[in-house]
Amino acid sequence: MESKLGYKIDTSNYPNDTTKRFYSSLRLVPESIYERTVEEIDAYRSNIPRAHSESMAAVPAIGDVATIAHGDNIIRLTHRSHIVYGFAADINYSFGVNLPFLLTKDEAVKILSVARLRRSSVPSISPVSLFFSKLPRELRDRVYEFVLPRQHWSMDEEVGRVTELDLLGSLGDLSGFYFPLAAESGVLTVNQQMREEALPLAYRTTSFELDDIDELIKLLLAIGQIGRENIVNSENDFTWDEAPGKIRREDIYKTKVNFEGMEFEDPSLTMPVIHVETCLQLLKQCGRLTTLRLSFERELLDIIDPDAFKANLGIRGLSSLRGFKRVEIQSFDHESLDHEVGVVRWLKEQLESPVP
């Protein structure tokens, strides 16, 4: 291992950190030096993402900090050591979300490269767009609504959408101005003014399909303030579950004990644990969101005690979100559960009830 990594495996490589950190995949960084070294070997072998040259963005020297700010939202990127995962990124949002990441040098470069972009890099106004800019804003918005396609957005890699590395680049732009929502929507690439005006409308005509709350968190972080404030409707679809491999098997059992002491033979039948509060805080920033589709494991809903379901911290937080015009709740097999399962009817009623 040491010969491949190019440095000696030693506890001194890992600065004391009382904060539990996450990799860019949102997996928890293990405490074991051996497990962390295995992660570094895997990162080294996968070349994350070596195509980004060091010349694209100068990283801070060891011990130094680079700061990225947008309003009251701040990222502090600290170069802590010479190892593969030698950068700590502390992301602090004014609405209460704080995410501590552990990153590779290439991942740090990804963030800093986007942070150093300027909106002036967007094409300047052409004679045609200059004429368009003189139209009243109301007419310009009507044009945007006409030319922007209604589209379905997915994190499915086969569709060629966003990946974890896109998340890192997007974190360098906390506003969300550069997020590649729809490359096929040419109006978003004409010039800075048209992108600023059309981007909010583009979000309002886009539906999102996500596999789990981890993907939802990545998306809501990546799209920045512009995106969160303008996601509206259609099939904003995600599974109330965590990504496979997020936590170790033994941790799942410990978590189950914490949930009302319930025990299931299948450790996969548990509620999300790690990033639930982050997910809920981000959803609360989506003030225009009116339609939501949730997916649950049907077997879990069939065996769980209704009171235990309602008492679950994640469900309590989820049920506190109010004012949705339409909520659909289904199984992983896309079977509607709205009228079949009592706890589902209760959750749907809570989410569709008026904002207090």
Side-chain angles (χ1 to χ4, degrees):
M1 286 187 180
E2 292 179 343
S3 60
K4 291 180 179 179
L5 291 173
Y7 53 83
K8 184 176 178 60
I9 298 172
D10 189 271
T11 55
S12 61
N13 291 334
Y14 306 96
N16 292 329
D17 196 343
T18 58
T19 301
K20 288 191 174 182
R21 296 190 174 275
F22 302 93
Y23 296 118
S24 59
S25 64
L26 296 184
R27 289 185 300 106
L28 189 64
V29 174
E31 296 180 3
S32 163
I33 299 299
Y34 173 79
E35 291 181 77
R36 291 181 66 164
T37 304
V38 170
E39 294 285 351
E40 292 179 16
I41 290 283
D42 290 342
Y44 177 83
R45 287 174 175 168
S46 62
N47 298 322
I48 302 178
R50 287 178 173 259
H52 297 286
S53 166
E54 293 181 19
S55 63
M56 292 180 62
V59 297
I62 292 179
D64 289 347
V65 180
T67 301
I68 302 167
H70 176 71
D72 294 329
N73 304 322
I74 299 175
I75 296 178
R76 291 182 176 85
L77 189 63
T78 306
H79 192 173
R80 305 202 307 180
S81 70
H82 61 283
I83 63 175
V84 173
Y85 282 101
F87 289 80
D90 293 282
I91 306 174
N92 301 292
Y93 290 90
S94 59
F95 49 84
V97 166
N98 301 298
L99 284 171
F101 285 113
L102 196 62
L103 306 177
T104 67
K105 182 175 184 177
D106 287 318
E107 290 175 322
V109 166
K110 181 79 173 182
I111 293 177
L112 292 171
S113 296
V114 175
R116 287 165 181 160
L117 289 174
R118 295 292 181 268
R119 294 195 181 186
S120 58
S121 63
V122 179
S124 58
I125 296 179
S126 66
V128 174
S129 56
L130 180 61
F131 169 79
F132 181 76
S133 67
K134 293 181 178 180
L135 295 175
R137 177 60 187 271
E138 182 180 354
L139 288 181
R140 298 202 301 271
D141 285 347
R142 294 288 297 276
V143 172
Y144 296 142
E145 291 172 358
F146 180 77
V147 300
L148 285 168
R150 291 195 172 274
Q151 61 176 352
H152 185 78
W153 194 99
S154 172
M155 290 258 306
D156 189 340
E157 292 182 1
E158 294 181 359
V159 182
R161 299 300 188 187
V162 79
T163 67
E164 291 172 4
L165 297 179
D166 292 317
L167 164 65
L168 293 173
S170 298
L171 288 176
D173 170 33
L174 295 172
S175 72
F177 180 78
Y178 288 109
F179 181 76
L181 175 64
E184 65 273 23
S185 298
V187 69
L188 298 178
T189 64
V190 175
N191 59 52
Q192 176 179 325
Q193 178 188 350
M194 292 180 72
R195 183 172 182 84
E196 287 177 342
E197 294 177 349
L199 190 57
L201 298 175
Y203 278 105
R204 298 173 202 172
T205 58
T206 302
S207 61
F208 297 85
E209 181 179 357
L210 306 157
D211 285 342
D212 49 57
I213 68 171
D214 296 345
E215 287 193 353
L216 177 65
I217 290 170
K218 292 174 186 177
L219 175 70
L220 295 182
L221 290 173
I223 62 180
Q225 183 176 346
I226 296 172
R228 290 190 295 271
E229 291 179 350
N230 287 284
I231 288 181
V232 177
N233 55 13
S234 297
E235 300 172 358
N236 294 290
D237 184 352
F238 70 97
T239 299
W240 190 252
D241 193 10
E242 284 175 322
K246 171 61 66 62
I247 51 180
R248 299 170 300 177
R249 186 182 182 91
E250 56 266 32
D251 289 335
I252 293 177
Y253 280 110
K254 290 177 183 177
T255 300
K256 287 166 57 183
V257 172
N258 290 336
F259 284 116
E260 310 297 332
M262 294 183 297
E263 294 184 0
F264 302 106
E265 294 182 1
D266 184 349
S268 68
L269 296 179
T270 57
M271 297 288 190
V273 177
I274 299 180
H275 295 298
V276 171
E277 183 61 29
T278 296
C279 176
L280 295 173
Q281 288 292 336
L282 288 168
L283 278 173
K284 289 177 182 178
Q285 306 310 306
C286 303
R288 291 179 178 268
L289 185 60
T290 59
T291 303
L292 196 64
R293 179 183 294 162
L294 297 168
S295 298
F296 282 87
E297 172 60 62
R298 174 63 188 262
E299 186 178 352
L300 172 62
L301 296 178
D302 285 341
I303 65 176
I304 195 169
D305 178 79
D307 291 334
F309 179 84
K310 296 177 182 179
N312 174 271
L313 291 178
I315 295 299
R316 284 169 56 187
L318 181 62
S319 65
S320 70
L321 304 178
R322 306 295 172 84
F324 291 96
K325 292 182 179 178
R326 188 176 83 249
V327 174
E328 299 176 10
I329 303 179
Q330 61 184 16
S331 69
F332 291 170
D333 297 325
H334 306 293
E335 171 194 8
S336 176
L337 303 175
D338 290 357
H339 304 292
E340 292 190 31
V341 183
V343 291
V344 169
R345 290 197 300 272
W346 167 81
L347 180 58
K348 177 180 171 67
E349 290 172 359
Q350 296 297 307
L351 292 169
E352 292 181 343
S353 62
V355 176

